[in-house]
Amino acid sequence: MIGAVIAGLVSLVGRPVRAHVDYVTDSGAETLDPVAFTTDVLSDPFNAGVFLVSGLAVTVGIAAYLWVRPTVTDIVVLREKLASYADLVPWMLRLAVGLPLIGAGFEGYLFAPTVTFNLGANPLLRVLFIGLGFAILFGLATRIAATVGLVTYGWALASEPGVFLAVEYVPIFLALFVLGGGRPSADDMLLEVASTDGSLYGRIDPVHHLKSYLDERTRPLRPYVPVILRVGMGVSFIYLGLIQKLAQPSSGLAVVEKYNLTAVVPVDPGLWVVGAGVTEIAVGVALIAGFFIRGAAATSFVLFTVTLFGLPDDPVLAHVALFGMASAVFTLGAGPLSFDRWFGRPAVGEDESVVPAD
């Protein structure tokens, strides 16, 4: 049953596309039928057993945690402490996209390192990426820069569909438009100076009133920033798992062979590919549903870390935005419109406030 469902999903997207495996493998690998490959891997009794036992272990672990969670004060304290870092989320997000945008400008690629442009023939495009990166990194005209970045991403995606690989930029740009630069940021510092009576800068700065206006207009949207980030991150995970791994098994097998991953975990190479794909899809679905959200964010952080440091050829800048988004989701939690919020239970006892599950 599981094999049939996975095979059906793969069949919907079983065409060659660019993905993260292209960072560490050469193109031109033999093309395998994704449906036949997945079915063949899961039809092996040993592979099916490993797959089902692993899934059952994860399910039991989550259920046990949700059962004991309301009685563990430590978890409540940790969650409240994380919530106190919420004002630093804009800074996390600015670092997460500012640095890779600068890198994209200097290296000459459109958001995703696999989609390059000629630096000599496109100097203005290079200046655009570097300028956007520095503006967002320093928090200068953050909402304007985020809007320009979003429009630029839309243009790049229309020009080259492979840019969808870097779809994580979209939720971060949207979140920065809602939140602004936060603090510390140039926007916050300049607004403080401009808003002070008698300041020289306040007489010549024409935009600080606009920032104050936008701060007020976007305030009702701020509670939904966790939703924007986790859904965007979930879409990215499902894309990577479904398209990169399950729909392109030949590329996944090339990664397993290149880094001898079967020596790390001695299982069939096909199970490596299918297991990685299903794991990423499961994490993506959990993020979109807002289920066990901090656990999903922590899992994604581990996956990024293993990819970054376990695959030495994988470019660091390809993961910075995802690292930042995972950190923000871990800090903020699920937010509204989530399983965690709808099915939250008392934290410690009847006299405590109801808090969403992690």
Side-chain angles (χ1 to χ4, degrees):
M1 179 64 180
I2 294 176
V5 172
I6 294 174
L9 289 173
V10 171
S11 68
L12 296 176
V13 291
R15 65 182 189 278
V17 292
R18 289 175 176 169
H20 277 211
V21 291
D22 293 338
Y23 300 159
V24 294
T25 59
D26 296 326
S27 60
E30 179 186 359
T31 301
L32 298 176
D33 181 86
V35 177
F37 174 81
T38 304
T39 303
D40 182 62
V41 169
L42 294 181
S43 64
D44 181 274
F46 177 78
N47 290 346
V50 172
F51 192 82
L52 291 175
V53 169
S54 299
L56 181 62
V58 171
T59 302
V60 171
I62 292 175
Y65 170 77
L66 293 176
W67 178 258
V68 303
R69 178 196 61 82
T71 65
V72 181
T73 305
D74 309 55
I75 296 173
V76 180
V77 174
L78 289 173
R79 184 165 52 249
E80 291 176 350
K81 189 61 180 178
L82 282 170
S84 71
Y85 300 147
D87 65 317
L88 300 177
V89 166
W91 189 23
M92 296 180 193
L93 298 178
R94 284 174 22 231
L95 290 171
V97 294
L99 291 172
L101 282 174
I102 294 172
F106 279 111
E107 295 293 328
Y109 60 84
L110 299 175
F111 296 100
T114 53
V115 184
T116 60
F117 64 88
N118 189 307
L119 292 172
N122 299 277
L124 293 180
L125 191 57
R126 184 182 194 184
V127 170
L128 172 63
F129 272 86
I130 294 174
L132 279 176
F134 274 111
I136 292 177
L137 189 61
F138 290 111
L140 180 63
T142 305
R143 288 192 174 94
I144 295 174
T147 302
V148 174
L150 193 59
V151 171
T152 304
Y153 181 88
W155 165 80
L157 181 62
S159 304
E160 173 52 70
V163 172
F164 190 82
L165 177 60
V167 70
E168 62 268 16
Y169 280 89
V170 174
I172 295 180
F173 284 145
L174 290 173
L176 286 175
F177 179 82
V178 174
L179 296 174
R183 65 182 188 92
S185 70
D187 287 344
D188 187 59
M189 292 187 295
L190 293 176
L191 179 62
E192 182 69 22
V193 175
S195 302
T196 302
D197 292 336
S199 66
L200 296 176
Y201 179 71
R203 301 175 186 176
I204 61 174
D205 177 18
V207 298
H208 71 277
H209 294 296
L210 174 62
K211 182 184 184 308
S212 298
Y213 171 78
L214 290 175
D215 283 344
E216 291 301 317
R217 297 295 293 179
T218 58
R219 193 177 304 277
L221 299 175
R222 293 182 183 181
Y224 296 96
V225 167
V227 181
I228 295 171
L229 293 174
R230 64 176 170 80
V231 170
M233 190 173 170
V235 168
S236 181
F237 258 100
I238 291 175
Y239 176 80
L240 294 175
L242 191 59
I243 302 296
Q244 172 189 359
K245 305 296 192 311
L246 299 185
Q248 295 191 99
S250 55
S251 298
L253 288 173
V255 173
V256 174
E257 180 181 1
K258 179 177 180 179
Y259 295 102
N260 194 25
L261 296 181
T262 54
V264 180
V265 179
V267 296
D268 181 72
L271 187 59
W272 253 102
V273 176
V274 174
V278 171
T279 299
E280 290 181 338
I281 292 171
V283 172
V285 170
L287 287 165
I288 292 174
F291 172 71
F292 198 62
I293 199 64
R294 285 195 170 97
T299 301
S300 66
F301 208 97
V302 172
L303 291 175
F304 298 148
T305 302
V306 170
T307 301
L308 184 60
F309 297 104
L311 307 181
D313 299 335
D314 212 356
V316 174
L317 290 178
H319 299 278
V320 172
L322 288 169
F323 266 112
M325 191 155 54
S327 300
V329 170
F330 187 74
T331 299
L332 295 174
L337 306 177
S338 65
F339 178 93
D340 286 355
R341 177 65 57 89
W342 292 331
F343 293 89
R345 296 196 293 168
V348 177
E350 295 299 329
D351 58 335
E352 299 287 344
S353 61
V354 175
V355 295
D358 280 337

